[in-house]
Amino acid sequence: MDPANDPEDSGTFADLALRPELVAVLSDLGYEEPTPIQRAAIPPLLEGRDLVGQAATGTGKTAAFALPMLHQLPTGDRGRSPSGLVLAPTRELAVQVAEAVSRYGTTLGARVLAVYGGQPITPQLKVLQRGVDVVVGTPGRVLDHLHRGSLKLDQLKVVVLDEADEMFDMGFAEELDAILAALPDKRQTVLFSATMPPKIAKMARKHQTDPVQIAVKGEKAPAGEAPKVSQTGHIVMRVDKPAALARVLDIHQPSSALVFCRTREEVDSLTEALKTRGYRAEPLHGGMSQEQRDRVMNRLRNQTADLLVATDVAARGLDVDHLTHVVNYNVPAAPESYVHRIGRVGRAGREGVAITLAEPRERRMLEAIEHLTGTKITFSKVPSLADLMASRLAVTRAALVEVLEGGDITGVQPMVTDLLASYSPEQLALAAAALAHRAQAPADDGDIPDASHRPPRALRDDAPRTSTPGTTKHTGPAGIGSGSRGGAHQRTGPPERKPAKEGMAKLYIGAGRAASVRPQDLVGAIAGESHLTGKQIGSIEITERFSLVEVPESEIDAVIKALRSSVIKGRKAIIRRDRDT
Ligand code: AMP
């Protein structure tokens, strides 16, 4: 089997001979082991080989090229010109990749800049002047910088074309050729693409030397191997995932379920979030001692816990036969992992249920999974609150019958007699049943928007057909995710980082979407800890890693003081005045 296709072929990041600084970051991020594409791509990339990788979003391909790129950064003075360049089709992807490279490069002090159209060029020029190690950009804007002379690529060692097929589809072929022609001959050229049409192969032949070819793609599972499992899923935006998971759990009411996450961090924060919502969830990951793991497993076996939130690695040796549901909180990094995950239920001829929560950008991975398993995952909208309440009628009924059959009715008799003077027994029964039913309502997340019709990438403003290099409209700086009060899930690209309104100042809170922070959590924490009222709080922006909240300038110091000792979503977060607005 191709090493890129064997999820059980374990090995650690340390085995890949990456710099210890990088291994430390990955451990901090809670990555337990390399994904198949990382296992296959990192060694040849560390040797300096050119590479063509067929991998879609969700496979961990960003780290597969970013880690070797960071590994080669000189230890001493790094000068001003970048040694790494990543070309990406959209501004959204450029920002995401830049954030990832910067995250992986923290301990190395990597200087990373995202450049894309629709963003003022002056801040980019300033950063380039100061010096950067890695530039991540859309082809139009990178070429623009090359023409201006603001981006010098004479020191470049590695260039990566990420999502090459999309760049072609968006008409960037000429820009790519022009950029590649401007690079030093002696360099490493890496190309990642979800599909490999002939034009990509041609481009690889033209610009690469003897590239290593790797692919994460499915081989058909042998007949009879697939367990009897109903496979369904929901496509939702990342910010809606916690609420979608809660809805799924409320509807299915699994007696024993395994929820799969990618990282230790995600396992811990999701377990906390589930516990806060009242679920009996326990974490299981490779960072736990054997004793802790045994304790968790016992809770699941004796049914004092009904949800196990686990990484793939930790769940591998798991032996629980009464599991009824598997929930993929995100799409696994390799199609084979999906088969392993869902194989945890539906054993011994029993029917199992597998539910996958996917983001729009992960559709290609889903196609690969369907291809491998030879089955179709049925996608639908997340059940609405009304659906949930309808499915709960049986629970309400059972609760009413329990009281009718001898439950405690002390204290209500005089009130009922009094009400029967004005209402019929039937009216009274209906009202009481409605009240009992309403009490079954879960936390009100409202209805969760279906994202199945959203394009995989929302912002394509750097496409050459719509903007000419150098004449693009400028709107905002790099690297900021999005989110706004009451509509955090509506936008997917980087918003402008606007200055605070007059009389207001921006508060920086070091927790964002990754920690499942929602606008109401921020309002709740601020209003709860300080003397501000909800009305005094201005606009709220929630990005992946942090949030910005507008508060009255005259109150900001008091609010910071009040919030310092508080926790947001179960964590202590950095709270300070925002430096960038
Ligand atoms: P990508 O395919 O590069 O977009 O990565 C998909 C997601 O997987 C990102 O959220 C990464 O942070 C995460 N990821 C990448 N590599 C690993 C790993 N080895 N273990 C766990 N998560 C990972």
Side-chain angles (χ1 to χ4, degrees):
M1 191 188 248
D2 184 332
N5 285 327
D6 187 358
E8 297 281 317
D9 175 18
S10 47
T12 63
F13 279 107
D15 297 338
L16 292 176
L18 283 163
R19 280 162 85 148
E21 297 97 319
L22 294 172
V23 177
V25 171
L26 297 168
S27 160
D28 276 355
L29 286 172
Y31 289 9
E32 300 214 305
E33 60 171 7
T35 66
I37 199 82
Q38 291 162 3
R39 205 170 283 141
I42 292 175
L45 288 178
L46 289 178
E47 279 172 25
R49 296 281 305 270
D50 283 0
L51 182 139
V52 177
Q54 186 168 358
T57 295
T59 52
K61 67 178 161 65
T62 315
F65 64 72
L67 295 170
M69 185 180 263
L70 290 161
H71 181 94
Q72 57 81 37
L73 288 183
T75 29
D77 179 26
R78 297 207 281 260
R80 282 201 299 198
S81 299
S83 61
L85 171 69
V86 183
L87 297 165
T90 63
R91 116 184 192 181
E92 193 200 24
L93 184 66
V95 169
Q96 262 174 34
V97 170
E99 281 177 353
V101 178
S102 170
R103 211 178 314 134
Y104 299 137
T106 349
T107 48
L108 294 171
R111 300 163 301 169
V112 183
L113 175 69
V115 298
Y116 48 80
Q119 182 202 31
I121 207 153
T122 322
Q124 295 178 359
L125 294 174
K126 280 197 190 134
V127 180
L128 286 168
Q129 266 274 308
R130 263 186 264 138
V132 290
D133 298 310
V134 176
V135 170
V136 185
T138 46
R141 183 51 72 99
V142 167
L143 200 57
D144 186 6
H145 276 292
L146 277 177
H147 287 156
R148 285 168 182 261
S150 43
L151 180 61
K152 300 257 185 319
L153 295 175
D154 50 326
Q155 300 298 317
L156 196 93
K157 296 207 174 61
V158 191
V159 61
V160 177
L161 279 67
D162 193 13
E163 303 206 350
D165 50 354
E166 284 221 33
M167 289 200 276
F168 266 87
D169 289 348
M170 292 173 70
F172 279 129
E174 273 176 34
E175 280 85 349
L176 291 177
D177 266 337
I179 295 167
L180 289 168
L183 302 181
D185 287 342
K186 200 169 161 303
R187 56 145 207 271
Q188 188 176 23
T189 306
V190 183
L191 186 151
F192 273 98
S193 193
T195 57
M196 281 294 161
K199 56 193 174 195
I200 306 267
K202 194 170 152 205
M203 161 124 186
R205 274 198 301 278
K206 184 166 163 200
H207 294 286
Q208 293 187 306
T209 315
D210 185 24
V212 178
Q213 313 257 354
I214 55 169
V216 168
K217 55 177 183 211
E219 292 161 14
K220 247 201 163 30
E225 197 178 271
K228 250 167 93 187
V229 179
S230 113
Q231 299 173 54
T232 60
H234 308 289
I235 299 194
V236 292
M237 301 305 290
R238 190 184 309 181
V239 2
D240 293 319
K241 277 202 170 168
L245 175 65
R247 184 62 48 81
V248 161
L249 294 172
D250 289 344
I251 283 270
H252 287 266
Q253 306 245 326
S255 56
S256 180
L258 191 52
V259 180
F260 278 102
C261 291
R262 284 186 172 228
T263 64
R264 291 173 190 180
E265 265 211 327
E266 198 172 49
V267 165
D268 284 336
S269 63
L270 188 62
T271 310
E272 270 323 299
L274 286 168
K275 280 186 172 164
T276 312
R277 282 172 177 257
Y279 298 96
R280 300 189 311 167
E282 293 291 336
L284 192 74
H285 58 63
M288 293 164 59
S289 67
Q290 190 55 44
E291 201 187 330
Q292 288 171 315
R293 293 168 58 110
D294 290 346
R295 207 176 310 135
V296 165
M297 292 312 298
N298 282 337
R299 286 198 191 124
L300 195 73
R301 283 204 192 93
N302 62 28
Q303 303 189 0
T304 45
D306 18 53
L307 296 176
L308 197 58
V309 185
T311 53
D312 287 280
V313 177
R316 238 170 239 164
L318 206 66
D319 183 22
V320 200
D321 38 311
H322 62 280
L323 281 177
T324 54
H325 292 65
V326 160
V327 183
N328 295 310
Y329 189 64
N330 31 43
V331 178
E336 288 76 6
S337 305
Y338 178 86
V339 177
H340 285 261
R341 287 180 178 190
I342 71 166
R344 301 271 148 211
V345 289
R347 287 177 166 187
R350 275 185 279 125
E351 277 272 327
V353 178
I355 303 149
T356 300
L357 299 178
E359 291 171 47
R361 67 196 186 103
E362 289 168 331
R363 277 202 200 94
R364 276 187 165 150
M365 273 305 282
L366 293 169
E367 283 163 19
I369 288 169
E370 289 183 328
H371 183 73
L372 173 76
T373 53
T375 48
K376 251 211 129 34
I377 307 174
T378 315
F379 282 89
S380 62
K381 282 188 188 157
V382 179
S384 65
L385 198 56
D387 295 336
L388 174 60
M389 291 313 285
S391 79
R392 290 251 166 136
L393 273 175
V395 182
T396 307
R397 190 174 191 283
L400 285 169
V401 169
E402 204 179 313
V403 180
L404 285 166
E405 301 274 326
D408 185 8
I409 50 166
T410 34
V412 293
Q413 184 71 53
M415 176 187 68
V416 170
T417 311
D418 189 36
L419 284 168
L420 282 174
S422 316
Y423 302 95
S424 71
E426 190 182 345
Q427 282 174 313
L428 186 55
L430 283 171
L435 211 58
H437 188 51
R438 239 176 273 151
Q440 302 286 342
D444 185 8
D445 290 311
D447 284 339
I448 296 143
D450 180 47
S452 56
H453 300 297
R454 289 184 73 98
R457 306 223 177 272
L459 296 166
R460 295 172 182 269
D461 62 351
D462 200 36
R465 283 186 205 97
T466 54
S467 72
T468 318
T471 59
T472 43
K473 274 207 172 159
H474 305 146
T475 51
I480 315 295
S482 73
S484 64
R485 194 169 185 175
H489 51 260
Q490 253 101 46
R491 290 188 282 148
T492 56
E496 303 163 35
R497 190 127 169 202
K498 290 194 198 104
K501 279 199 219 76
E502 208 178 316
M504 303 290 272
K506 284 202 182 178
L507 195 65
Y508 171 100
I509 298 169
R513 275 199 302 270
S516 307
V517 169
R518 301 164 306 167
Q520 54 266 47
D521 302 319
L522 299 173
V523 174
I526 295 171
E529 298 291 333
S530 69
H531 60 271
L532 284 196
T533 61
K535 276 204 185 120
Q536 287 177 284
I537 300 170
S539 75
I540 296 181
E541 290 165 55
I542 301 179
T543 78
E544 192 59 22
R545 301 258 142 207
F546 64 89
S547 308
L548 298 172
V549 184
E550 243 177 31
V551 296
E553 171 66 60
S554 56
E555 301 291 333
I556 189 162
D557 293 331
V559 174
I560 292 173
K561 212 164 151 209
L563 280 177
R564 283 241 161 99
S565 52
S566 71
V567 285
I568 292 174
K569 283 271 158 180
R571 290 162 177 237
K572 272 195 82 62
I574 294 171
I575 315 272
R576 57 168 165 77
R577 189 185 274 267
D578 182 40
R579 298 188 188 116
D580 297 333
T581 48

